[in-house]
Coordinates of all heavy atoms in Angstrom, one line a residue:
M50 N 99.3 156.1 100.4 CA 100.0 156.0 99.2 C 101.5 155.5 99.4 O 101.8 154.7 98.5 CB 100.1 157.5 98.6 CG 100.9 157.5 97.4 SD 99.7 157.7 96.1 CE 100.7 157.8 94.6
C51 N 102.1 155.8 100.5 CA 103.4 155.3 100.8 C 103.3 153.8 101.2 O 104.2 153.2 100.7 CB 104.0 156.2 102.0 SG 105.7 155.7 102.3
K52 N 102.3 153.4 101.6 CA 102.1 152.0 102.1 C 102.0 151.2 100.8 O 102.7 150.1 100.7 CB 100.9 151.9 102.9 CG 100.5 150.5 103.3 CD 101.3 150.1 104.5 CE 100.6 148.7 105.0 NZ 101.7 148.0 105.6
E53 N 101.3 151.7 99.8 CA 101.1 150.9 98.5 C 102.5 150.8 97.8 O 102.8 149.7 97.3 CB 100.1 151.7 97.7 CG 98.7 151.6 98.1 CD 97.7 152.3 97.2 OE1 98.2 152.8 96.2 OE2 96.6 152.5 97.5
K54 N 103.3 151.8 97.9 CA 104.6 151.8 97.3 C 105.5 150.9 98.0 O 106.3 150.0 97.3 CB 105.3 153.2 97.3 CG 104.7 154.2 96.4 CD 105.4 155.4 96.4 CE 104.9 156.5 95.3 NZ 105.6 157.7 95.4
D55 N 105.4 150.7 99.3 CA 106.3 149.8 100.0 C 106.0 148.3 99.7 O 106.6 147.5 99.6 CB 106.1 150.1 101.5 CG 107.0 151.4 102.0 OD1 107.8 151.8 101.3 OD2 106.6 151.7 103.2
D56 N 104.6 148.1 99.7 CA 104.1 146.8 99.2 C 104.4 146.4 97.9 O 105.0 145.2 97.7 CB 102.5 146.9 99.4 CG 102.0 146.8 101.0 OD1 102.9 146.5 101.7 OD2 100.9 147.2 101.1
S57 N 104.3 147.2 97.0 CA 104.7 147.0 95.6 C 106.2 146.8 95.5 O 106.7 145.9 94.9 CB 104.3 148.2 94.8 OG 104.8 148.0 93.5
F58 N 107.1 147.6 96.2 CA 108.5 147.3 96.2 C 108.8 146.1 96.7 O 109.7 145.3 96.2 CB 109.2 148.5 97.0 CG 110.7 148.3 97.1 CD1 111.5 148.5 96.0 CD2 111.2 147.9 98.3 CE1 112.8 148.3 96.0 CE2 112.5 147.7 98.3 CZ 113.4 147.9 97.1
N59 N 108.2 145.7 97.9 CA 108.5 144.4 98.6 C 108.2 143.1 97.7 O 108.9 142.2 97.6 CB 107.9 144.4 99.8 CG 108.5 145.3 100.9 OD1 109.7 145.5 100.8 ND2 107.8 145.7 101.9
A60 N 107.0 143.3 97.0 CA 106.6 142.2 96.1 C 107.5 142.1 95.0 O 107.9 140.9 94.6 CB 105.1 142.5 95.7
R61 N 108.0 143.2 94.3 CA 108.9 143.0 93.3 C 110.3 142.6 93.8 O 111.0 141.8 93.1 CB 109.2 144.5 92.5 CG 107.9 144.8 91.8 CD 108.0 146.1 91.1 NE 108.0 147.2 91.9 CZ 108.8 148.3 92.0 NH1 109.8 148.4 90.9 NH2 108.7 149.1 92.9
L62 N 110.7 143.0 94.9 CA 111.9 142.6 95.5 C 111.9 141.0 95.7 O 112.9 140.3 95.4 CB 112.2 143.4 96.9 CG 113.5 142.9 97.5 CD1 114.8 143.2 96.7 CD2 113.7 143.7 98.9
Q63 N 110.9 140.5 96.4 CA 110.7 139.1 96.6 C 110.7 138.3 95.4 O 111.5 137.3 95.2 CB 109.5 138.9 97.4 CG 109.6 139.3 98.9 CD 108.3 139.1 99.6 OE1 107.3 138.7 99.2 NE2 108.5 139.4 101.0
S64 N 110.0 138.8 94.2 CA 110.1 138.2 93.0 C 111.4 138.1 92.3 O 111.9 137.1 91.9 CB 109.0 139.0 92.1 OG 109.1 138.4 90.7
A65 N 112.2 139.3 92.5 CA 113.5 139.3 91.9 C 114.5 138.2 92.7 O 115.2 137.6 92.1 CB 114.1 140.6 92.0
E66 N 114.2 138.2 94.0 CA 115.2 137.3 94.8 C 114.9 135.9 94.5 O 115.7 134.9 94.3 CB 115.0 137.6 96.4 CG 115.6 138.8 96.8 CD 115.2 139.2 98.3 OE1 114.2 138.6 98.8 OE2 115.9 139.8 98.9
R67 N 113.6 135.5 94.3 CA 113.3 134.1 93.8 C 113.7 133.9 92.5 O 114.3 132.7 92.2 CB 111.8 133.9 94.0 CG 111.2 133.6 95.2 CD 109.7 133.2 95.2 NE 108.8 134.0 94.5 CZ 108.2 135.1 95.1 NH1 108.3 135.3 96.3 NH2 107.4 135.8 94.4
R68 N 113.7 134.9 91.5 CA 114.1 134.6 90.2 C 115.6 134.4 90.1 O 116.0 133.6 89.3 CB 113.7 135.8 89.4 CG 113.9 135.7 87.9 CD 113.4 136.8 87.2 NE 113.6 138.1 87.8 CZ 112.6 139.0 87.8 NH1 111.4 138.8 87.3 NH2 112.7 140.1 88.6
Y69 N 116.4 135.1 90.9 CA 117.8 135.0 90.9 C 118.5 134.0 91.9 O 119.5 133.7 92.1 CB 118.5 136.3 91.1 CG 118.2 137.2 89.8 CD1 117.4 138.3 89.7 CD2 118.9 136.8 88.7 CE1 117.2 139.0 88.8 CE2 118.6 137.6 87.4 CZ 117.8 138.8 87.6 OH 117.5 139.6 86.4
G70 N 117.5 133.3 92.7 CA 117.9 132.1 93.5 C 118.6 132.7 94.8 O 119.3 132.0 95.4
L71 N 118.1 133.8 95.2 CA 118.8 134.5 96.4 C 118.0 134.1 97.7 O 118.5 134.2 98.7 CB 118.8 136.0 96.2 CG 119.7 136.6 95.1 CD1 119.6 138.1 95.1 CD2 121.0 136.1 95.3
V72 N 116.8 133.6 97.5 CA 115.9 133.1 98.6 C 115.8 131.6 98.5 O 115.7 131.1 97.5 CB 114.7 133.7 98.6 CG1 113.8 133.2 99.6 CG2 114.7 135.3 98.7
K73 N 116.2 131.0 99.6 CA 116.1 129.6 99.6 C 114.7 129.1 99.9 O 114.1 129.7 101.0 CB 117.0 128.9 100.8 CG 118.4 129.0 100.4 CD 119.4 128.3 101.4 CE 120.9 128.5 101.0 NZ 121.6 127.7 102.0
E74 N 114.0 128.4 99.0 CA 112.7 128.0 99.2 C 112.6 126.8 100.1 O 113.6 125.9 100.0 CB 112.1 127.7 97.8 CG 111.9 129.0 97.0 CD 111.3 128.6 95.6 OE1 110.6 127.5 95.5 OE2 111.3 129.5 94.7
E75 N 111.7 126.6 100.9 CA 111.6 125.5 101.8 C 111.3 124.2 101.0 O 110.4 124.2 100.3 CB 110.6 125.8 103.0 CG 110.9 126.9 103.8 CD 110.0 127.1 105.0 OE1 109.3 126.0 105.3 OE2 109.8 128.2 105.5
K76 N 112.1 123.2 101.4 CA 111.7 121.9 100.8 C 110.7 121.1 101.6 O 110.7 121.3 102.8 CB 113.1 121.1 100.6 CG 114.0 121.8 99.6 CD 115.4 121.0 99.6 CE 116.4 121.7 98.7 NZ 117.7 120.9 98.7
P77 N 110.1 120.3 101.0 CA 109.0 119.6 101.7 C 109.9 118.4 102.6 O 110.8 117.9 102.2 CB 108.2 118.9 100.8 CG 109.0 118.9 99.5 CD 109.8 120.1 99.5
Q78 N 109.3 118.2 103.8 CA 110.0 117.2 104.6 C 109.9 115.9 104.2 O 108.8 115.3 103.6 CB 109.2 117.3 106.1 CG 109.4 118.6 106.8 CD 110.8 118.8 107.3 OE1 111.5 117.7 107.5 NE2 111.2 120.0 107.4
V79 N 111.0 115.1 104.2 CA 111.0 113.7 103.7 C 111.3 112.9 104.9 O 112.2 113.2 105.7 CB 112.2 113.7 102.7 CG1 112.3 112.2 102.2 CG2 111.9 114.5 101.5
D80 N 110.4 111.8 105.1 CA 110.7 111.0 106.3 C 112.0 110.1 106.1 O 112.5 109.9 105.0 CB 109.4 110.2 106.6 CG 109.1 109.1 105.4 OD1 109.7 109.3 104.4 OD2 108.3 108.2 105.7
A81 N 112.4 109.6 107.3 CA 113.8 108.9 107.4 C 113.6 107.6 106.5 O 114.6 107.3 105.9 CB 114.0 108.6 108.8
N82 N 112.4 106.9 106.6 CA 112.4 105.7 105.8 C 112.6 106.0 104.3 O 113.2 105.2 103.6 CB 111.1 104.9 106.0 CG 110.9 104.5 107.5 OD1 112.0 104.2 108.1 ND2 109.7 104.3 107.9
M83 N 112.0 106.9 103.8 CA 112.0 107.2 102.3 C 113.6 107.6 102.0 O 114.0 107.2 101.0 CB 111.1 108.4 102.0 CG 110.8 108.6 100.6 SD 109.5 109.8 100.4 CE 109.3 109.6 98.7
E84 N 114.2 108.3 102.8 CA 115.6 108.8 102.6 C 116.4 107.5 102.6 O 117.4 107.3 101.9 CB 116.0 109.8 103.7 CG 117.3 110.3 103.3 CD 117.3 111.3 102.1 OE1 116.4 111.9 101.8 OE2 118.4 111.4 101.4
A85 N 116.3 106.6 103.5 CA 117.0 105.4 103.6 C 116.8 104.5 102.4 O 117.9 103.8 101.9 CB 116.7 104.6 105.0
D86 N 115.5 104.4 102.0 CA 115.3 103.7 100.6 C 116.2 104.2 99.6 O 116.7 103.4 98.7 CB 113.9 103.6 100.4 CG 113.1 102.7 101.3 OD1 113.7 101.9 102.0 OD2 111.9 102.9 101.5
R87 N 116.1 105.5 99.5 CA 116.9 106.1 98.3 C 118.2 105.9 98.5 O 119.0 105.7 97.6 CB 116.7 107.7 98.4 CG 115.4 108.1 97.8 CD 115.2 109.5 97.7 NE 113.8 109.9 97.6 CZ 113.3 111.2 97.7 NH1 114.1 112.2 98.2 NH2 112.1 111.5 97.5
S88 N 118.9 106.0 99.7 CA 120.3 105.7 99.9 C 120.7 104.3 99.5 O 121.7 103.9 98.9 CB 120.6 106.1 101.3 OG 122.1 105.8 101.5
L89 N 119.9 103.3 99.9 CA 120.0 101.9 99.7 C 120.0 101.7 98.1 O 120.8 100.9 97.6 CB 119.0 101.1 100.5 CG 119.3 99.6 100.2 CD1 120.6 99.2 100.9 CD2 118.2 98.8 101.0
A90 N 119.0 102.3 97.5 CA 119.0 102.1 95.9 C 120.1 102.6 95.4 O 120.8 102.1 94.4 CB 117.7 102.8 95.5
A91 N 120.6 103.8 95.8 CA 121.8 104.5 95.3 C 123.0 103.6 95.5 O 123.8 103.4 94.6 CB 122.0 105.9 95.8
L92 N 123.2 103.0 96.7 CA 124.3 102.1 96.9 C 124.1 100.9 96.0 O 125.2 100.5 95.4 CB 124.2 101.8 98.4 CG 125.4 100.8 98.8 CD1 126.7 101.4 98.7 CD2 125.0 100.3 100.2
A93 N 123.1 100.3 95.9 CA 122.8 99.1 95.0 C 123.3 99.5 93.5 O 124.0 98.6 92.9 CB 121.5 98.6 95.1
F94 N 122.7 100.6 93.0 CA 123.1 101.0 91.7 C 124.6 101.1 91.5 O 125.1 100.8 90.5 CB 122.4 102.2 91.5 CG 122.4 102.7 90.0 CD1 121.9 102.0 89.0 CD2 123.3 103.9 89.7 CE1 122.1 102.4 87.6 CE2 123.4 104.2 88.4 CZ 122.8 103.5 87.3
R95 N 125.2 101.9 92.4 CA 126.6 102.1 92.3 C 127.5 100.8 92.4 O 128.4 100.6 91.6 CB 127.1 103.1 93.4 CG 128.6 103.4 93.3 CD 129.0 104.5 94.1 NE 130.4 104.5 94.0 CZ 131.2 105.2 94.9 NH1 130.7 105.7 95.8 NH2 132.5 105.2 94.8
A96 N 127.0 99.8 93.2 CA 127.7 98.6 93.4 C 127.6 97.7 92.1 O 128.6 97.2 91.5 CB 127.2 97.8 94.5
G97 N 126.4 97.8 91.5 CA 126.1 97.1 90.3 C 127.0 97.7 89.1 O 127.5 97.0 88.2
T98 N 127.1 99.1 89.0 CA 127.8 99.8 88.1 C 129.3 99.5 88.1 O 130.0 99.2 87.2 CB 127.7 101.2 88.2 OG1 126.1 101.6 88.1 CG2 128.3 101.9 87.2
E99 N 129.9 99.3 89.4 CA 131.2 99.1 89.6 C 131.5 97.7 89.2 O 132.6 97.4 88.4 CB 131.5 99.1 91.2 CG 131.5 100.5 91.8 CD 132.7 101.4 91.5 OE1 133.9 100.9 90.9 OE2 132.6 102.6 91.7
M100 N 130.8 96.7 89.6 CA 130.9 95.4 89.0 C 131.0 95.3 87.5 O 131.7 94.7 86.9 CB 129.9 94.4 89.6 CG 130.0 94.1 91.1 SD 131.4 93.0 91.3 CE 130.9 91.5 90.6
L101 N 129.9 95.8 86.9 CA 129.7 95.8 85.5 C 130.9 96.5 84.7 O 131.4 95.9 83.8 CB 128.4 96.3 85.1 CG 127.8 96.0 83.7 CD1 127.8 94.5 83.5 CD2 126.5 96.8 83.4
A102 N 131.3 97.6 85.3 CA 132.4 98.4 84.7 C 133.7 97.5 84.6 O 134.4 97.6 83.6 CB 132.5 99.7 85.2
G103 N 134.0 97.0 85.8 CA 135.3 96.2 85.8 C 135.2 95.0 84.9 O 136.2 94.8 84.1
L104 N 134.1 94.3 84.7 CA 134.0 93.2 83.9 C 134.0 93.6 82.4 O 134.8 93.0 81.6 CB 132.7 92.6 84.2 CG 132.6 91.2 83.5 CD1 133.6 90.1 83.9 CD2 131.2 90.6 83.8
I105 N 133.4 94.7 82.1 CA 133.4 95.3 80.6 C 134.7 95.6 80.2 O 135.2 95.3 79.0 CB 132.4 96.2 80.5 CG1 130.9 95.7 80.5 CG2 132.6 97.0 79.1 CD1 129.8 96.7 80.5
V106 N 135.5 96.3 81.2 CA 136.8 96.8 80.7 C 137.8 95.5 80.5 O 138.5 95.4 79.8 CB 137.4 97.8 81.9 CG1 138.8 98.0 81.7 CG2 136.5 99.2 81.7
G107 N 137.6 94.6 81.6 CA 138.5 93.4 81.5 C 138.2 92.7 80.2 O 139.2 92.2 79.5
V108 N 136.9 92.3 79.8 CA 136.6 91.7 78.7 C 137.1 92.4 77.3 O 137.6 91.8 76.4 CB 135.2 91.4 78.5 CG1 134.8 90.9 77.2 CG2 134.8 90.4 79.6
A109 N 136.9 93.7 77.4 CA 137.4 94.5 76.1 C 138.9 94.5 76.1 O 139.3 94.2 74.9 CB 136.9 96.0 76.3
M110 N 139.5 94.6 77.2 CA 141.1 94.5 77.0 C 141.5 93.2 76.6 O 142.3 92.9 75.7 CB 141.8 94.9 78.4 CG 141.6 96.4 78.7 SD 142.3 96.7 80.4 CE 143.9 96.3 80.1
G111 N 140.8 92.1 77.2 CA 141.2 90.7 76.8 C 140.9 90.4 75.3 O 141.7 89.8 74.6
W112 N 139.7 90.8 74.9 CA 139.3 90.7 73.4 C 140.3 91.3 72.5 O 140.7 90.9 71.5 CB 137.9 91.1 73.2 CG 137.5 90.9 71.8 CD1 137.0 89.8 71.3 CD2 137.5 91.9 70.7 NE1 136.7 89.9 70.0 CE2 137.0 91.2 69.7 CE3 137.9 93.2 70.6 CZ2 137.0 91.9 68.5 CZ3 137.8 93.8 69.5 CH2 137.3 93.1 68.4
G113 N 140.7 92.6 72.9 CA 141.5 93.5 72.0 C 142.9 92.7 71.8 O 143.5 92.6 70.8
L114 N 143.4 92.2 73.0 CA 144.8 91.5 73.0 C 144.7 90.2 72.2 O 145.5 89.9 71.4 CB 145.3 91.3 74.4 CG 145.8 92.4 75.1 CD1 146.0 92.1 76.6 CD2 147.0 92.9 74.5
D115 N 143.6 89.5 72.3 CA 143.3 88.2 71.6 C 143.3 88.5 70.1 O 143.8 87.8 69.4 CB 142.1 87.5 72.1 CG 142.3 86.8 73.3 OD1 143.4 86.3 73.6 OD2 141.3 86.4 74.0
H116 N 142.7 89.7 69.8 CA 142.5 89.9 68.4 C 143.9 90.5 67.8 O 144.1 90.1 66.6 CB 141.4 91.1 68.2 CG 141.0 91.5 66.8 ND1 140.3 90.6 66.0 CD2 141.3 92.5 66.1 CE1 140.2 91.2 64.8 NE2 140.8 92.3 64.9
W117 N 144.5 91.2 68.5 CA 145.8 91.8 68.1 C 146.9 90.6 68.1 O 147.8 90.7 67.1 CB 146.2 92.8 69.2 CG 147.5 93.6 68.7 CD1 147.8 94.1 67.4 CD2 148.6 93.8 69.6 NE1 149.0 94.7 67.6 CE2 149.6 94.6 68.9 CE3 148.7 93.7 71.0 CZ2 150.7 95.0 69.4 CZ3 149.9 94.1 71.5 CH2 150.9 94.8 70.8
L118 N 146.9 89.7 68.9 CA 147.9 88.7 69.1 C 147.5 87.5 68.3 O 148.3 86.5 68.2 CB 148.4 88.5 70.3 CG 148.9 89.7 71.2 CD1 149.2 89.3 72.5 CD2 150.3 90.0 70.5
H119 N 146.3 87.4 67.8 CA 145.7 86.1 67.0 C 145.7 84.9 67.9 O 146.1 83.9 67.5 CB 146.5 86.1 65.7 CG 146.4 87.2 64.8 ND1 145.3 87.5 64.2 CD2 147.5 88.0 64.4 CE1 145.6 88.6 63.4 NE2 146.9 88.9 63.6
T120 N 145.4 85.2 69.2 CA 145.2 84.0 70.1 C 143.6 83.7 70.2 O 142.9 84.5 69.8 CB 145.8 84.4 71.5 OG1 145.2 85.4 71.9 CG2 147.4 84.5 71.3
R121 N 143.4 82.5 70.7 CA 142.0 82.1 70.8 C 141.2 83.0 71.8 O 140.5 83.9 71.4 CB 141.9 80.7 71.1 CG 142.3 79.8 69.9 CD 141.3 78.8 69.8 NE 141.1 78.4 68.4 CZ 140.4 77.3 68.1 NH1 139.9 76.5 68.9 NH2 140.2 77.0 66.8
A122 N 141.3 82.6 73.1 CA 140.5 83.3 74.0 C 141.3 83.3 75.3 O 140.8 83.5 76.3 CB 139.3 82.6 74.3
L123 N 142.6 83.2 75.1 CA 143.4 83.2 76.4 C 143.4 84.5 77.2 O 142.9 84.5 78.4 CB 144.9 82.9 76.0 CG 145.9 83.0 77.1 CD1 145.9 81.8 78.0 CD2 147.4 83.0 76.5
F124 N 143.6 85.7 76.6 CA 143.6 87.0 77.3 C 142.2 87.4 77.7 O 141.9 88.0 78.5 CB 144.3 88.0 76.4 CG 145.7 87.9 76.3 CD1 146.3 87.3 75.0 CD2 146.6 88.0 77.4 CE1 147.7 87.2 74.8 CE2 147.9 87.7 77.2 CZ 148.5 87.4 76.0
L125 N 141.1 86.9 76.8 CA 139.8 87.2 77.2 C 139.5 86.5 78.6 O 138.8 87.3 79.4 CB 139.0 86.7 76.0 CG 137.4 86.9 76.3 CD1 137.1 88.4 76.1 CD2 136.6 86.1 75.3
V126 N 139.8 85.3 78.7 CA 139.4 84.8 80.0 C 140.3 85.3 81.2 O 139.7 85.7 82.3 CB 139.8 83.1 79.9 CG1 139.7 82.5 81.3 CG2 138.8 82.4 78.9
I127 N 141.6 85.6 80.9 CA 142.4 86.1 82.0 C 141.9 87.5 82.4 O 141.7 87.8 83.6 CB 143.9 86.1 81.7 CG1 144.4 84.7 81.4 CG2 144.7 87.0 82.6 CD1 145.8 84.7 80.8
F128 N 141.7 88.4 81.4 CA 141.3 89.8 81.8 C 139.8 89.8 82.3 O 139.4 90.7 83.0 CB 141.4 90.6 80.6 CG 142.9 91.0 80.5 CD1 143.9 90.3 79.8 CD2 143.4 92.2 81.2 CE1 145.1 90.8 79.7 CE2 144.6 92.7 81.0 CZ 145.6 92.0 80.3
A129 N 139.0 88.9 81.9 CA 137.6 88.8 82.4 C 137.6 88.4 84.0 O 137.0 89.1 84.7 CB 136.8 87.7 81.6
L130 N 138.5 87.6 84.2 CA 138.7 87.2 85.6 C 139.3 88.4 86.5 O 138.8 88.7 87.5 CB 139.6 86.1 85.8 CG 139.0 84.8 85.3 CD1 139.9 83.5 85.5 CD2 137.8 84.3 86.1
L131 N 140.3 89.1 85.9 CA 140.8 90.2 86.5 C 139.9 91.4 86.7 O 139.7 92.1 87.6 CB 142.1 90.7 85.7 CG 143.2 89.9 85.9 CD1 144.5 90.3 85.0 CD2 143.8 89.7 87.4
G132 N 139.1 91.7 85.6 CA 138.0 92.7 85.6 C 137.0 92.3 86.6 O 136.5 93.3 87.4
G133 N 136.5 91.2 86.7 CA 135.5 90.8 87.7 C 136.1 90.9 89.1 O 135.5 91.5 90.0
S134 N 137.4 90.6 89.2 CA 137.9 90.8 90.6 C 138.1 92.2 91.0 O 137.9 92.6 92.2 CB 139.3 90.0 90.6 OG 139.3 88.7 90.2
A135 N 138.5 93.0 90.0 CA 138.7 94.4 90.2 C 137.3 95.0 90.7 O 137.1 95.9 91.5 CB 139.3 95.1 89.0
G136 N 136.2 94.6 90.0 CA 134.7 95.0 90.3 C 134.4 94.7 91.7 O 133.9 95.4 92.4
M137 N 134.7 93.3 92.1 CA 134.4 93.0 93.4 C 135.2 93.7 94.4 O 134.7 94.1 95.6 CB 134.5 91.4 93.6 CG 133.6 90.7 92.8 SD 133.6 88.8 93.2 CE 135.2 88.4 93.2
L138 N 136.4 93.9 94.1 CA 137.3 94.7 95.2 C 136.7 96.2 95.2 O 136.7 96.7 96.4 CB 138.7 94.9 94.6 CG 139.8 95.6 95.5 CD1 139.8 95.0 96.8 CD2 141.0 95.8 94.7
N139 N 136.2 96.9 94.2 CA 135.6 98.0 94.3 C 134.4 98.2 95.2 O 134.1 99.0 95.9 CB 135.3 98.6 92.9 CG 136.7 99.0 92.2 OD1 137.7 99.4 92.8 ND2 136.6 99.2 90.8
V140 N 133.6 97.0 94.9 CA 132.3 97.0 95.7 C 132.6 96.7 97.2 O 132.1 97.4 98.1 CB 131.5 95.9 95.2 CG1 130.2 95.5 96.1 CG2 131.0 96.3 93.7
W141 N 133.6 95.9 97.4 CA 134.2 95.7 98.8 C 134.5 97.0 99.5 O 134.1 97.2 100.7 CB 135.1 94.6 98.9 CG 135.6 94.4 100.3 CD1 134.9 93.7 101.2 CD2 136.8 94.6 100.8 NE1 135.7 93.6 102.3 CE2 136.9 94.2 102.1 CE3 138.0 95.3 100.4 CZ2 138.0 94.3 103.1 CZ3 139.0 95.4 101.1 CH2 139.0 94.9 102.6
R142 N 135.3 97.8 98.7 CA 135.8 99.2 99.3 C 134.5 100.1 99.5 O 134.6 100.7 100.5 CB 136.8 99.7 98.4 CG 138.1 99.1 98.3 CD 139.0 99.8 97.3 NE 140.2 99.1 97.2 CZ 141.1 99.3 96.2 NH1 140.8 100.0 95.2 NH2 142.3 98.7 96.2
L143 N 133.7 100.1 98.6 CA 132.4 100.8 98.7 C 131.6 100.4 100.0 O 131.3 101.3 100.8 CB 131.4 100.7 97.5 CG 130.2 101.4 97.6 CD1 130.4 103.0 97.6 CD2 129.4 101.0 96.4
V144 N 131.5 99.2 100.3 CA 130.7 98.7 101.4 C 131.5 99.0 102.5 O 130.8 99.2 103.6 CB 130.2 97.2 101.2 CG1 129.6 96.7 102.4 CG2 129.3 97.0 100.0
R145 N 132.7 98.8 102.6 CA 133.5 98.9 103.8 C 133.6 100.5 104.4 O 133.4 100.6 105.5 CB 135.0 98.5 103.5 CG 135.8 98.5 104.7 CD 137.2 98.0 104.5 NE 137.7 99.2 103.7 CZ 139.1 99.0 103.3 NH1 139.8 98.1 103.6 NH2 139.4 100.1 102.5
T146 N 133.5 101.4 103.3 CA 133.4 102.8 103.8 C 132.0 103.2 104.2 O 131.9 104.0 105.1 CB 133.8 103.7 102.5 OG1 132.9 103.5 101.5 CG2 135.2 103.6 102.0
M147 N 131.0 102.4 103.8 CA 129.7 102.6 104.4 C 129.5 102.2 105.8 O 128.8 102.7 106.6 CB 128.5 102.0 103.5 CG 128.6 102.6 102.1 SD 128.2 104.2 102.1 CE 126.6 104.3 102.5
D148 N 130.4 101.1 106.2 CA 130.2 100.7 107.5 C 130.9 101.6 108.5 O 130.6 101.7 109.6 CB 130.9 99.4 107.6 CG 130.1 98.0 107.3 OD1 128.7 98.3 107.3 OD2 130.6 97.0 107.0
V149 N 132.0 102.3 108.0 CA 132.8 103.2 108.9 C 132.0 104.5 109.3 O 132.0 104.8 110.4 CB 134.1 103.5 108.1 CG1 134.8 104.8 109.0 CG2 135.0 102.4 108.0
K150 N 131.2 104.8 108.3 CA 130.2 106.1 108.7 C 129.2 105.9 109.7 O 128.6 105.5 110.3 CB 129.6 106.6 107.4 CG 130.6 107.1 106.5 CD 129.8 107.6 105.2 CE 130.8 108.1 104.1 NZ 130.3 108.5 103.0

């Protein structure tokens, strides 16, 4: 009788620990090639995002200034070049930090 109570208590205790996240469940093993592919994909996605964000911000600022000052496309071209340059600088910094590790 006492053995049944202990088993029941242990089962309920383990269930409560899993429910509240007190027990770390084992994760399946991931091979190194798969992890490297994920890391490379994440790096490429971040680099693309950095480039695109810099370009979009530069174009938006240039278009806004051109619209506000009633100029043709002077600021649009200037800020598009500056935004693209900022994006490339951010990607260069990202890749440079990856070489250091």
Side-chain angles (χ1 to χ4, degrees):
M50 179 99 177
C51 187
K52 177 85 169 150
E53 290 176 10
K54 285 183 181 180
D55 287 342
D56 290 340
S57 173
F58 175 75
N59 286 335
R61 288 184 289 142
L62 180 62
Q63 288 175 356
S64 174
E66 287 175 341
R67 277 193 305 271
R68 186 175 36 230
Y69 291 108
L71 298 176
V72 174
K73 293 184 179 180
E74 296 180 14
E75 292 185 27
K76 296 179 181 177
Q78 294 289 334
V79 178
D80 64 341
N82 290 338
M83 196 171 187
E84 190 67 32
D86 288 344
R87 286 185 189 163
S88 177
L89 185 61
L92 179 66
F94 182 74
R95 182 167 175 203
T98 303
E99 293 280 350
M100 286 287 295
L101 194 60
L104 189 61
I105 288 173
V106 169
V108 166
M110 288 175 63
W112 181 83
L114 282 172
D115 281 334
H116 187 70
W117 182 47
L118 297 174
H119 302 291
T120 56
R121 284 222 146 170
L123 175 69
F124 292 110
L125 179 68
V126 171
I127 291 171
F128 278 88
L130 291 173
L131 287 174
S134 299
M137 289 191 319
L138 180 64
N139 287 338
V140 169
W141 181 70
R142 287 178 183 163
L143 175 68
V144 172
R145 190 179 65 177
T146 59
M147 295 301 286
D148 275 343
V149 172
K150 291 181 182 178

